[in-house]
């Protein structure tokens, strides 16, 4: 949210008038409607029916909790926003916020559960907490001779086809000539294995561009030992499981992954923090609220990671785009109740994503970190 810098007494009087208007209306009522909205996957008729049902719930709550003269203007505002929704969007959900003074619509690329809140205010955190915990991951099965890769979720395994040959024998001719003439077959085998695993890692890199999900790597201890030494995707790998699983059934693979899947929140957090570390190494990371505040405007914000309990009451500094901590609660136009909420709103408005992590997880990054596109 943007604040106007007031530099003379006349503008201060204008702000005071605006403040009195806000206090007179009390921002009441404030309505948040958060719901799935995926026109690519659902018909317009079905979406309109869901929106109609949600609108009926909102109208009922408003008329029950507030006087008619306060409820009707907000009802009309929400109806207008619903009637002008974009059915050509490829996003998966929508968030609508409305009050006597504010109306906002966000199209989000994350799955969320329907939620309606009628209260004296709305918090952008309500939107983040409504995100569904979608379980999606990659499984790379390795042996000394072959490899397979799957895209997994709660209901199915999908075999991923790759242009990279998945057999060690495809790389037999790539072994250097002097090694190929060695009389020791074990030495040649080790070279072929490393060459094979390097290509499998390159294939994983390509797949991660399309499916940037946590990766589990399963295989014999010796093979995984070689793979861990050569992989360039360590920041995406959340678990190694020892064993021979190349010919295992889907049920057997799910069984060995069960401890991870049952604690998916920890897996997701590990993956997210690994992404933060990788972005830092690539100079695509802003950390700490002051850096993140500056970087969150526009469409360069890809993913914001923030600790659940982190809040930052602040005041805008004289330097454009700068803030500093200030807990004084007054009518000063520079005061920001929580800069973290403002950052989350800007990231979502720019098409980025926001994810919470447990408190303390980002202590080395000032409790908040923004992964940028560039």
């Amino acid at each position: 949210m943007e604040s106007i810098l007031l530099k003379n007494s006349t503008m201060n009087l204008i702000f005071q008038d605006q403040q009195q208007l806000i206090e007179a209306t009390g921002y009441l009522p404030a309505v948040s409607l958060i719901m799935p909205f995926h026109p690519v996957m659902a018909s317009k008729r079905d979406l309109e029916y869901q929106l109609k049902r949600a609108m009926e719930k909102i109208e009922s709550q408003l008329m029950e909790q507030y006087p008619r003269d306060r409820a009707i203007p907000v009802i009309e505002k929400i109806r207008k926003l619903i009637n002008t929704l974009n059915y050509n969007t490829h996003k998966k959900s929508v968030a609508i916020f409305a009050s006597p003074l504010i109306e906002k619509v966000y199209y989000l690329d994350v799955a969320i559960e329907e939620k309606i809140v009628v209260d004296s205010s709305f918090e952008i955190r309500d939107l983040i907490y409504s995100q569904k915990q979608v379980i999606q991951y990659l499984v790379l099965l390795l042996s000394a001779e072959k490899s397979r890769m799957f895209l997994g979720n709660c209901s199915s395994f999908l075999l991923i086809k790759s242009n990279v040959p998945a057999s060690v024998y495809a790389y037999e001719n790539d072994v250097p000539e002097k090694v190929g003439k060695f009389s020791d077959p074990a030495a040649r085998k080790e070279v072929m294995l490393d060459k094979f695993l390097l290509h499998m890692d390159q294939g994983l890199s390509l797949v991660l561009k399309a499916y940037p999900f946590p990766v589990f790597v399963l295989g014999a201890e010796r093979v995984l030992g070689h793979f861990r030494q050569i992989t360039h995707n360590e920041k995406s790998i959340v678990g190694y499981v020892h064993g021979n699983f190349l010919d295992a059934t889907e049920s057997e693979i799910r069984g060995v992954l069960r401890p991870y899947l049952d604690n998916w929140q920890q897996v997701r957090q590990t993956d997210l923090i690994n992404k933060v570390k990788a972005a830092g190494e690539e100079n695509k990371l802003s950390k700490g609220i002051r850096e993140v505040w500056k970087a969150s405007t526009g469409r360069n914000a890809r993913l914001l990671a923030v600790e659940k309990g982190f809040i930052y009451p602040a005041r805008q500094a004289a330097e454009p785009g700068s803030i500093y901590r200030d807990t004084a609660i007054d009518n000063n136009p520079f005061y920001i109740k929580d800069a973290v909420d403002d950052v989350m709103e800007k990231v979502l408005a720019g098409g980025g994503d926001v994810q919470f992590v447990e408190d303390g997880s980002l202590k080395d990054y000032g409790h908040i970190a923004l992964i940028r596109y560039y």
Side-chain angles (χ1 to χ4, degrees):
M1 102 187 23
E2 299 180 358
S3 297
I4 302 172
L5 299 181
L6 307 180
K7 298 182 179 179
N8 54 59
S9 59
T10 302
M11 294 194 73
N12 271 309
L13 288 173
I14 293 173
F15 176 79
Q16 290 171 8
D17 289 341
Q18 292 174 337
Q19 194 72 21
Q20 290 172 1
L21 173 61
I22 291 172
E23 291 170 355
T25 60
Y27 276 109
L28 297 173
V31 177
S32 306
L33 169 59
I34 304 164
M35 64 181 296
F37 186 78
H38 198 184
V40 173
M41 301 299 293
S43 69
K44 183 176 181 180
R45 180 178 179 181
D46 288 342
L47 292 173
E48 287 177 336
Y49 176 74
Q50 294 169 16
L51 288 163
K52 180 182 177 183
R53 290 291 300 275
M55 189 66 229
E56 289 172 352
K57 295 177 186 177
I58 291 171
E59 186 170 350
S60 175
Q61 290 187 48
L62 284 172
M63 296 301 289
E64 181 179 337
Q65 298 178 30
Y66 295 93
R68 183 180 178 83
D69 62 334
R70 285 197 173 185
I72 293 299
V74 179
I75 289 172
E76 291 177 348
K77 188 170 289 189
I78 296 173
R79 280 180 179 160
K80 178 184 175 182
L81 293 174
I82 287 176
N83 289 336
T84 56
L85 289 177
N86 177 16
Y87 284 85
N88 293 319
T89 181
H90 284 70
K91 301 294 185 178
K92 298 176 183 176
S93 53
V94 66
I96 299 173
F97 299 107
S99 76
L101 296 178
I102 296 172
E103 55 184 69
K104 298 179 180 180
V105 175
Y106 298 116
Y107 298 94
L108 309 169
D109 202 19
V110 292
I112 59 176
E113 297 176 349
E114 181 178 312
K115 185 175 183 180
I116 297 172
V117 179
V118 177
D119 205 345
S120 58
S121 64
F122 43 71
E123 298 288 346
I124 201 72
R125 291 174 190 255
D126 289 339
L127 173 58
I128 310 305
Y129 287 133
S130 296
Q131 293 186 18
K132 286 184 179 179
Q133 194 177 82
V134 179
I135 298 179
Q136 289 183 297
Y137 52 91
L138 294 172
V139 179
L140 177 61
L141 304 181
L142 293 174
S143 76
E145 298 180 348
K146 294 181 182 179
S147 171
R148 290 196 296 167
M149 195 182 312
F150 294 91
L151 172 63
N153 57 37
C154 292
S155 60
S156 66
F157 262 29
L158 176 67
L159 179 64
I160 297 176
K161 298 291 186 180
S162 172
N163 292 328
V164 178
S167 169
V168 68
Y169 300 108
Y171 307 98
E172 190 169 7
N173 294 330
D174 291 343
V175 177
E177 184 178 351
K178 63 179 181 179
V179 176
K181 292 180 180 179
F182 283 168
S183 58
D184 185 0
R188 179 180 176 83
K189 235 179 212 184
E190 292 293 298
V191 173
M192 285 180 60
L193 176 61
D194 285 343
K195 193 77 174 178
F196 167 62
L197 293 177
L198 179 62
H199 280 80
M200 293 307 97
D201 189 57
Q202 292 170 350
L204 177 59
S205 297
L206 294 174
V207 171
L208 280 167
K209 290 181 179 180
Y211 305 105
F213 304 137
V215 180
F216 298 102
V217 184
L218 283 62
E221 187 172 356
R222 181 179 75 87
V223 175
L224 296 192
H226 279 257
F227 185 78
R228 294 181 81 152
Q229 290 180 358
I230 60 94
T231 182
H232 292 85
N233 293 298
E234 64 276 0
K235 294 294 192 301
S236 295
I237 298 170
V238 293
Y240 287 93
V241 182
H242 294 156
N244 183 9
F245 301 102
L246 201 66
D247 297 318
T249 65
E250 177 181 328
S251 177
E252 290 170 337
I253 295 172
R254 287 187 186 276
V256 299
L257 294 180
R258 181 56 53 195
Y260 297 96
L261 302 182
D262 287 344
N263 193 18
W264 185 253
Q265 182 65 22
Q266 183 60 49
V267 171
R268 185 200 61 80
Q269 179 168 296
T270 299
D271 182 56
L272 182 58
I273 292 175
N274 284 343
K275 284 182 168 63
V276 168
K277 292 177 182 177
E281 294 170 0
E282 297 169 3
N283 294 318
K284 295 180 181 179
L285 187 73
S286 299
K287 59 184 180 180
I289 186 62
R290 299 182 73 175
E291 278 188 28
V292 170
W293 177 272
K294 286 184 177 180
S296 59
T297 302
R299 295 191 172 274
N300 192 26
R302 179 181 177 185
L303 174 61
L304 177 71
V306 58
E307 293 180 3
K308 288 180 178 178
F310 181 53
I311 61 172
Y312 193 89
R315 193 178 295 269
Q316 285 194 350
E319 179 187 351
S322 297
I323 58 171
Y324 60 91
R325 179 179 284 278
D326 191 343
T327 57
I329 300 177
D330 54 31
N331 290 337
N332 192 301
F334 301 108
Y335 180 71
I336 303 166
K337 180 182 177 183
D338 183 10
V340 178
D341 275 9
D342 284 19
V343 165
M344 289 192 289
E345 184 175 346
K346 290 193 287 184
V347 170
L348 291 173
D353 189 15
V354 180
Q355 296 285 341
F356 284 121
V357 296
E358 296 300 322
D359 292 342
S361 302
L362 293 171
K363 61 182 179 181
D364 295 336
Y365 300 89
H367 310 291
I368 187 169
L370 177 68
I371 298 176
R372 308 185 308 271
Y373 283 106
Y374 52 86

